[in-house]
Amino acid sequence: KNKRLYVQIPFLFFFCFGTVLWLISKYKIQVIHAHWIFINGFVWALIKKIRRNTQLICTSHGSDLHTLGGWVIDALKKWTILQCDEVTVVSSFLKNQLCLLMWDAYPTHIISMGVDEDKFHPNYYNERIKKRYAISWKFLLFVWRLAPEKWIPDLINSMPQVLESYPDTVLLIIGDWPLAQELQELVYNNWLEKSIYFVWAISNKDLPPYYATADMLIAPSTKESFWLVQVEALFSWTPVITYAWLWSTDIVRDGVNGRLLTDQTQLSSAICDLCEHMISTREEIRSSVVEKFCWNTVAYHYALLLESITSKYKT
């Protein structure tokens, strides 16, 4: 937004480069793990050209692939990827994006970011949240940045139909920027201020009680690199309603731990359906994802990757 801030970029490159080069020399580092292809991965790839006995893993988390672009940036990203010993992405969607960037299939490991199974747990259920917002029946939850691609107006507009059948239903929206004011006006214009409350942005450490206390998470986004909020909710025994787009089908199983929708018109009926009856036991909802996305599983996959790389280094 402020082009004068571009003056910071050369300093960022310089200090990243110098600091990492110093750390490698001091601690005899064998492997660098760069998160984001650009800028981190690019700088670390330059260092690898100097220190040829250093191996490089690069992980893309999303926006560096499908948001940050332009022919110059894309060329730098391609060069960076070609210098890496291993490349990982957090979802199958991003693997497809990477292959599009490289103009061909590229050997890539899919390793999710994972979720701390002790932090996001049903034991964090907190009745005080319900009392604070006068929730006497079903508690719906939305957690995300309030951005256009999250389709939050669809969720708000579906609430009158839900309230016709279940008038005591309450929706809490956790998030902030950039559509905060517009969404608040939409709630007031539809006379929904007694059924929809904006919690605004809260820190990640304060989220577990909301997940564990909610009856369902509504996740109507159409653009996600990794559906982290879905996994966090499922770890907390909370079913998820989302669209069967991108790779959400890898997480949400229709009729087992949530509902998969094909278009926006199904949203209100899916909410009513979950209000009417639970699709699975709470234990089944958590077990459907915990083994695949817990930190122990993610750490195991990275341990295998590091073992492979360091064995190459020793030879």
Side-chain angles (χ1 to χ4, degrees), residues 33 38 49 78 82-83 87 97 129 164 168 178-179 182 218 222 226-227 237 259 268 313:
H33 188 178
F38 191 83
K49 284 292 186 181
K78 289 178 184 177
L82 291 172
Q83 310 314 308
V87 178
Q97 295 294 110
I129 294 176
E164 283 182 13
D168 294 327
L179 299 181
E182 292 91 329
I218 319 296
T222 59
F226 177 67
W227 301 81
W237 282 8
R259 289 285 186 230
S268 57
Y313 174 83

PDB file of all heavy atoms in Angstrom, residues 33 38 49 78 82-83 87 97 129 164 168 178-179 182 218 222 226-227 237 259 268 313:
ATOM      1  N   HIS A  33      16.072 -25.364   6.590  1.00  0.00           N
ATOM      2  CA  HIS A  33      14.656 -25.532   6.236  1.00  0.00           C
ATOM      3  C   HIS A  33      14.062 -24.147   6.037  1.00  0.00           C
ATOM      4  O   HIS A  33      13.849 -23.414   7.003  1.00  0.00           O
ATOM      5  CB  HIS A  33      13.915 -26.285   7.338  1.00  0.00           C
ATOM      6  CG  HIS A  33      12.518 -26.649   6.952  1.00  0.00           C
ATOM      7  ND1 HIS A  33      11.681 -27.371   7.778  1.00  0.00           N
ATOM      8  CD2 HIS A  33      11.790 -26.411   5.824  1.00  0.00           C
ATOM      9  CE1 HIS A  33      10.513 -27.548   7.190  1.00  0.00           C
ATOM     10  NE2 HIS A  33      10.549 -26.964   6.003  1.00  0.00           N
ATOM     11  N   PHE A  38       9.837 -17.619  -1.409  1.00  0.00           N
ATOM     12  CA  PHE A  38      10.375 -16.279  -1.591  1.00  0.00           C
ATOM     13  C   PHE A  38       9.842 -15.416  -0.447  1.00  0.00           C
ATOM     14  O   PHE A  38       8.635 -15.432  -0.175  1.00  0.00           O
ATOM     15  CB  PHE A  38       9.899 -15.712  -2.951  1.00  0.00           C
ATOM     16  CG  PHE A  38      10.586 -14.447  -3.370  1.00  0.00           C
ATOM     17  CD1 PHE A  38      11.807 -14.501  -3.997  1.00  0.00           C
ATOM     18  CD2 PHE A  38      10.014 -13.210  -3.114  1.00  0.00           C
ATOM     19  CE1 PHE A  38      12.448 -13.332  -4.391  1.00  0.00           C
ATOM     20  CE2 PHE A  38      10.642 -12.059  -3.494  1.00  0.00           C
ATOM     21  CZ  PHE A  38      11.858 -12.114  -4.135  1.00  0.00           C
ATOM     22  N   LYS A  49      24.731 -21.835  -2.763  1.00  0.00           N
ATOM     23  CA  LYS A  49      25.698 -21.717  -3.853  1.00  0.00           C
ATOM     24  C   LYS A  49      27.099 -21.447  -3.320  1.00  0.00           C
ATOM     25  O   LYS A  49      28.099 -21.831  -3.939  1.00  0.00           O
ATOM     26  CB  LYS A  49      25.279 -20.580  -4.794  1.00  0.00           C
ATOM     27  CG  LYS A  49      24.117 -20.924  -5.711  1.00  0.00           C
ATOM     28  CD  LYS A  49      24.529 -21.977  -6.720  1.00  0.00           C
ATOM     29  CE  LYS A  49      23.447 -22.236  -7.745  1.00  0.00           C
ATOM     30  NZ  LYS A  49      23.856 -23.289  -8.706  1.00  0.00           N
ATOM     31  N   LYS A  78      11.191 -20.162  -9.421  1.00  0.00           N
ATOM     32  CA  LYS A  78      11.587 -21.373 -10.154  1.00  0.00           C
ATOM     33  C   LYS A  78      13.062 -21.693  -9.899  1.00  0.00           C
ATOM     34  O   LYS A  78      13.420 -22.851  -9.673  1.00  0.00           O
ATOM     35  CB  LYS A  78      11.344 -21.176 -11.648  1.00  0.00           C
ATOM     36  CG  LYS A  78       9.883 -21.158 -12.049  1.00  0.00           C
ATOM     37  CD  LYS A  78       9.747 -20.900 -13.539  1.00  0.00           C
ATOM     38  CE  LYS A  78       8.293 -20.783 -13.955  1.00  0.00           C
ATOM     39  NZ  LYS A  78       8.157 -20.467 -15.394  1.00  0.00           N
ATOM     40  N   LEU A  82      14.636 -25.123  -7.963  1.00  0.00           N
ATOM     41  CA  LEU A  82      15.617 -25.989  -8.618  1.00  0.00           C
ATOM     42  C   LEU A  82      16.882 -26.168  -7.777  1.00  0.00           C
ATOM     43  O   LEU A  82      17.627 -27.129  -7.969  1.00  0.00           O
ATOM     44  CB  LEU A  82      15.973 -25.431  -9.995  1.00  0.00           C
ATOM     45  CG  LEU A  82      14.847 -25.499 -11.042  1.00  0.00           C
ATOM     46  CD1 LEU A  82      15.248 -24.748 -12.307  1.00  0.00           C
ATOM     47  CD2 LEU A  82      14.484 -26.942 -11.363  1.00  0.00           C
ATOM     48  N   GLN A  83      17.146 -25.245  -6.845  1.00  0.00           N
ATOM     49  CA  GLN A  83      18.323 -25.359  -5.982  1.00  0.00           C
ATOM     50  C   GLN A  83      18.060 -26.219  -4.752  1.00  0.00           C
ATOM     51  O   GLN A  83      18.992 -26.599  -4.040  1.00  0.00           O
ATOM     52  CB  GLN A  83      18.787 -23.962  -5.508  1.00  0.00           C
ATOM     53  CG  GLN A  83      18.957 -22.921  -6.585  1.00  0.00           C
ATOM     54  CD  GLN A  83      19.707 -23.417  -7.787  1.00  0.00           C
ATOM     55  OE1 GLN A  83      20.807 -23.972  -7.664  1.00  0.00           O
ATOM     56  NE2 GLN A  83      19.135 -23.233  -8.967  1.00  0.00           N
ATOM     57  N   VAL A  87      11.512 -30.386  -1.646  1.00  0.00           N
ATOM     58  CA  VAL A  87      10.463 -29.361  -1.576  1.00  0.00           C
ATOM     59  C   VAL A  87       9.223 -29.988  -0.966  1.00  0.00           C
ATOM     60  O   VAL A  87       8.822 -31.091  -1.360  1.00  0.00           O
ATOM     61  CB  VAL A  87      10.136 -28.784  -2.979  1.00  0.00           C
ATOM     62  CG1 VAL A  87       9.004 -27.768  -2.881  1.00  0.00           C
ATOM     63  CG2 VAL A  87      11.364 -28.144  -3.597  1.00  0.00           C
ATOM     64  N   GLN A  97      -0.355 -26.300  -7.658  1.00  0.00           N
ATOM     65  CA  GLN A  97       0.108 -24.938  -7.947  1.00  0.00           C
ATOM     66  C   GLN A  97       1.601 -24.908  -8.248  1.00  0.00           C
ATOM     67  O   GLN A  97       2.059 -24.180  -9.132  1.00  0.00           O
ATOM     68  CB  GLN A  97      -0.189 -24.022  -6.757  1.00  0.00           C
ATOM     69  CG  GLN A  97      -1.671 -23.812  -6.462  1.00  0.00           C
ATOM     70  CD  GLN A  97      -2.368 -23.056  -7.580  1.00  0.00           C
ATOM     71  OE1 GLN A  97      -3.178 -23.614  -8.318  1.00  0.00           O
ATOM     72  NE2 GLN A  97      -2.055 -21.794  -7.723  1.00  0.00           N
ATOM     73  N   ILE A 129     -18.504 -19.287  27.951  1.00  0.00           N
ATOM     74  CA  ILE A 129     -18.678 -18.661  26.631  1.00  0.00           C
ATOM     75  C   ILE A 129     -20.159 -18.595  26.284  1.00  0.00           C
ATOM     76  O   ILE A 129     -20.648 -17.570  25.799  1.00  0.00           O
ATOM     77  CB  ILE A 129     -17.887 -19.444  25.560  1.00  0.00           C
ATOM     78  CG1 ILE A 129     -16.384 -19.340  25.824  1.00  0.00           C
ATOM     79  CG2 ILE A 129     -18.219 -18.908  24.159  1.00  0.00           C
ATOM     80  CD1 ILE A 129     -15.539 -20.173  24.869  1.00  0.00           C
ATOM     81  N   GLU A 164     -35.654 -19.519  11.478  1.00  0.00           N
ATOM     82  CA  GLU A 164     -37.074 -19.870  11.348  1.00  0.00           C
ATOM     83  C   GLU A 164     -37.368 -21.216  12.006  1.00  0.00           C
ATOM     84  O   GLU A 164     -38.407 -21.398  12.639  1.00  0.00           O
ATOM     85  CB  GLU A 164     -37.468 -19.925   9.866  1.00  0.00           C
ATOM     86  CG  GLU A 164     -37.663 -18.562   9.229  1.00  0.00           C
ATOM     87  CD  GLU A 164     -38.107 -18.692   7.779  1.00  0.00           C
ATOM     88  OE1 GLU A 164     -38.489 -19.811   7.375  1.00  0.00           O
ATOM     89  OE2 GLU A 164     -38.068 -17.680   7.057  1.00  0.00           O
ATOM     90  N   ASP A 168     -33.310 -20.113  18.608  1.00  0.00           N
ATOM     91  CA  ASP A 168     -32.326 -19.879  19.666  1.00  0.00           C
ATOM     92  C   ASP A 168     -30.888 -20.109  19.211  1.00  0.00           C
ATOM     93  O   ASP A 168     -29.962 -20.072  20.029  1.00  0.00           O
ATOM     94  CB  ASP A 168     -32.630 -20.779  20.868  1.00  0.00           C
ATOM     95  CG  ASP A 168     -33.953 -20.416  21.529  1.00  0.00           C
ATOM     96  OD1 ASP A 168     -34.293 -19.217  21.522  1.00  0.00           O
ATOM     97  OD2 ASP A 168     -34.637 -21.329  22.032  1.00  0.00           O
ATOM     98  N   PRO A 178     -10.581  -7.707   6.152  1.00  0.00           N
ATOM     99  CA  PRO A 178     -10.861  -6.321   5.750  1.00  0.00           C
ATOM    100  C   PRO A 178     -12.351  -5.976   5.640  1.00  0.00           C
ATOM    101  O   PRO A 178     -12.682  -4.841   5.399  1.00  0.00           O
ATOM    102  CB  PRO A 178     -10.197  -6.238   4.378  1.00  0.00           C
ATOM    103  CG  PRO A 178     -10.356  -7.618   3.819  1.00  0.00           C
ATOM    104  CD  PRO A 178     -10.286  -8.568   4.987  1.00  0.00           C
ATOM    105  N   LEU A 179     -13.240  -6.959   5.814  1.00  0.00           N
ATOM    106  CA  LEU A 179     -14.668  -6.720   5.597  1.00  0.00           C
ATOM    107  C   LEU A 179     -15.445  -6.526   6.894  1.00  0.00           C
ATOM    108  O   LEU A 179     -16.666  -6.672   6.908  1.00  0.00           O
ATOM    109  CB  LEU A 179     -15.285  -7.896   4.824  1.00  0.00           C
ATOM    110  CG  LEU A 179     -14.733  -8.182   3.429  1.00  0.00           C
ATOM    111  CD1 LEU A 179     -15.479  -9.360   2.811  1.00  0.00           C
ATOM    112  CD2 LEU A 179     -14.854  -6.959   2.526  1.00  0.00           C
ATOM    113  N   GLU A 182     -18.389  -3.893   6.695  1.00  0.00           N
ATOM    114  CA  GLU A 182     -19.453  -4.303   5.783  1.00  0.00           C
ATOM    115  C   GLU A 182     -20.282  -5.447   6.362  1.00  0.00           C
ATOM    116  O   GLU A 182     -21.513  -5.467   6.253  1.00  0.00           O
ATOM    117  CB  GLU A 182     -18.862  -4.724   4.431  1.00  0.00           C
ATOM    118  CG  GLU A 182     -18.243  -3.584   3.630  1.00  0.00           C
ATOM    119  CD  GLU A 182     -16.765  -3.415   3.930  1.00  0.00           C
ATOM    120  OE1 GLU A 182     -16.357  -3.715   5.080  1.00  0.00           O
ATOM    121  OE2 GLU A 182     -16.026  -2.974   3.035  1.00  0.00           O
ATOM    122  N   ILE A 218     -18.621 -23.466  10.867  1.00  0.00           N
ATOM    123  CA  ILE A 218     -19.033 -23.191   9.489  1.00  0.00           C
ATOM    124  C   ILE A 218     -17.820 -22.612   8.767  1.00  0.00           C
ATOM    125  O   ILE A 218     -17.288 -21.572   9.153  1.00  0.00           O
ATOM    126  CB  ILE A 218     -20.206 -22.185   9.428  1.00  0.00           C
ATOM    127  CG1 ILE A 218     -21.237 -22.482  10.516  1.00  0.00           C
ATOM    128  CG2 ILE A 218     -20.828 -22.196   8.051  1.00  0.00           C
ATOM    129  CD1 ILE A 218     -21.926 -23.806  10.386  1.00  0.00           C
ATOM    130  N   THR A 222     -13.559 -20.658  -0.158  1.00  0.00           N
ATOM    131  CA  THR A 222     -13.278 -21.326  -1.442  1.00  0.00           C
ATOM    132  C   THR A 222     -11.810 -21.212  -1.831  1.00  0.00           C
ATOM    133  O   THR A 222     -11.432 -21.588  -2.929  1.00  0.00           O
ATOM    134  CB  THR A 222     -14.128 -20.712  -2.567  1.00  0.00           C
ATOM    135  OG1 THR A 222     -13.838 -19.308  -2.665  1.00  0.00           O
ATOM    136  CG2 THR A 222     -15.609 -20.899  -2.274  1.00  0.00           C
ATOM    137  N   PHE A 226      -4.206 -24.615   3.283  1.00  0.00           N
ATOM    138  CA  PHE A 226      -4.396 -25.730   4.197  1.00  0.00           C
ATOM    139  C   PHE A 226      -5.522 -25.338   5.143  1.00  0.00           C
ATOM    140  O   PHE A 226      -5.481 -24.291   5.779  1.00  0.00           O
ATOM    141  CB  PHE A 226      -3.113 -26.017   4.991  1.00  0.00           C
ATOM    142  CG  PHE A 226      -3.276 -27.121   6.009  1.00  0.00           C
ATOM    143  CD1 PHE A 226      -3.501 -28.417   5.600  1.00  0.00           C
ATOM    144  CD2 PHE A 226      -3.196 -26.852   7.363  1.00  0.00           C
ATOM    145  CE1 PHE A 226      -3.659 -29.436   6.534  1.00  0.00           C
ATOM    146  CE2 PHE A 226      -3.347 -27.858   8.300  1.00  0.00           C
ATOM    147  CZ  PHE A 226      -3.578 -29.155   7.881  1.00  0.00           C
ATOM    148  N   TRP A 227      -6.522 -26.198   5.265  1.00  0.00           N
ATOM    149  CA  TRP A 227      -7.721 -25.869   6.034  1.00  0.00           C
ATOM    150  C   TRP A 227      -7.461 -26.076   7.517  1.00  0.00           C
ATOM    151  O   TRP A 227      -8.031 -26.959   8.161  1.00  0.00           O
ATOM    152  CB  TRP A 227      -8.882 -26.748   5.565  1.00  0.00           C
ATOM    153  CG  TRP A 227      -9.212 -26.593   4.122  1.00  0.00           C
ATOM    154  CD1 TRP A 227      -8.581 -27.184   3.072  1.00  0.00           C
ATOM    155  CD2 TRP A 227     -10.253 -25.800   3.547  1.00  0.00           C
ATOM    156  NE1 TRP A 227      -9.167 -26.819   1.882  1.00  0.00           N
ATOM    157  CE2 TRP A 227     -10.198 -25.973   2.159  1.00  0.00           C
ATOM    158  CE3 TRP A 227     -11.243 -24.972   4.084  1.00  0.00           C
ATOM    159  CZ2 TRP A 227     -11.087 -25.338   1.286  1.00  0.00           C
ATOM    160  CZ3 TRP A 227     -12.125 -24.349   3.222  1.00  0.00           C
ATOM    161  CH2 TRP A 227     -12.036 -24.528   1.840  1.00  0.00           C
ATOM    162  N   TRP A 237     -13.643 -32.120  18.703  1.00  0.00           N
ATOM    163  CA  TRP A 237     -14.924 -32.846  18.658  1.00  0.00           C
ATOM    164  C   TRP A 237     -16.021 -32.044  17.983  1.00  0.00           C
ATOM    165  O   TRP A 237     -17.199 -32.307  18.174  1.00  0.00           O
ATOM    166  CB  TRP A 237     -15.409 -33.210  20.072  1.00  0.00           C
ATOM    167  CG  TRP A 237     -14.739 -34.382  20.704  1.00  0.00           C
ATOM    168  CD1 TRP A 237     -13.654 -35.058  20.242  1.00  0.00           C
ATOM    169  CD2 TRP A 237     -15.113 -35.015  21.940  1.00  0.00           C
ATOM    170  NE1 TRP A 237     -13.314 -36.060  21.101  1.00  0.00           N
ATOM    171  CE2 TRP A 237     -14.187 -36.060  22.160  1.00  0.00           C
ATOM    172  CE3 TRP A 237     -16.110 -34.795  22.865  1.00  0.00           C
ATOM    173  CZ2 TRP A 237     -14.249 -36.886  23.275  1.00  0.00           C
ATOM    174  CZ3 TRP A 237     -16.175 -35.611  23.984  1.00  0.00           C
ATOM    175  CH2 TRP A 237     -15.252 -36.648  24.183  1.00  0.00           C
ATOM    176  N   ARG A 259     -20.318 -31.877   6.955  1.00  0.00           N
ATOM    177  CA  ARG A 259     -21.099 -31.842   5.724  1.00  0.00           C
ATOM    178  C   ARG A 259     -20.287 -31.158   4.634  1.00  0.00           C
ATOM    179  O   ARG A 259     -19.706 -30.091   4.843  1.00  0.00           O
ATOM    180  CB  ARG A 259     -22.399 -31.063   5.942  1.00  0.00           C
ATOM    181  CG  ARG A 259     -23.404 -31.793   6.822  1.00  0.00           C
ATOM    182  CD  ARG A 259     -24.054 -32.928   6.045  1.00  0.00           C
ATOM    183  NE  ARG A 259     -25.120 -33.568   6.783  1.00  0.00           N
ATOM    184  CZ  ARG A 259     -25.235 -34.870   6.966  1.00  0.00           C
ATOM    185  NH1 ARG A 259     -24.333 -35.681   6.448  1.00  0.00           N
ATOM    186  NH2 ARG A 259     -26.238 -35.386   7.633  1.00  0.00           N
ATOM    187  N   SER A 268     -27.843 -23.309   4.527  1.00  0.00           N
ATOM    188  CA  SER A 268     -28.830 -23.253   5.607  1.00  0.00           C
ATOM    189  C   SER A 268     -29.401 -24.639   5.924  1.00  0.00           C
ATOM    190  O   SER A 268     -29.593 -24.990   7.101  1.00  0.00           O
ATOM    191  CB  SER A 268     -29.958 -22.284   5.256  1.00  0.00           C
ATOM    192  OG  SER A 268     -30.577 -22.660   4.038  1.00  0.00           O
ATOM    193  N   TYR A 313      24.337 -36.112   2.577  1.00  0.00           N
ATOM    194  CA  TYR A 313      25.417 -35.210   3.006  1.00  0.00           C
ATOM    195  C   TYR A 313      26.640 -36.004   3.460  1.00  0.00           C
ATOM    196  O   TYR A 313      27.769 -35.673   3.128  1.00  0.00           O
ATOM    197  CB  TYR A 313      24.902 -34.332   4.144  1.00  0.00           C
ATOM    198  CG  TYR A 313      25.954 -33.445   4.776  1.00  0.00           C
ATOM    199  CD1 TYR A 313      26.301 -32.230   4.202  1.00  0.00           C
ATOM    200  CD2 TYR A 313      26.606 -33.843   5.953  1.00  0.00           C
ATOM    201  CE1 TYR A 313      27.262 -31.423   4.796  1.00  0.00           C
ATOM    202  CE2 TYR A 313      27.556 -33.039   6.540  1.00  0.00           C
ATOM    203  CZ  TYR A 313      27.880 -31.830   5.951  1.00  0.00           C
ATOM    204  OH  TYR A 313      28.840 -31.039   6.534  1.00  0.00           O
TER     205      TYR A 313
END
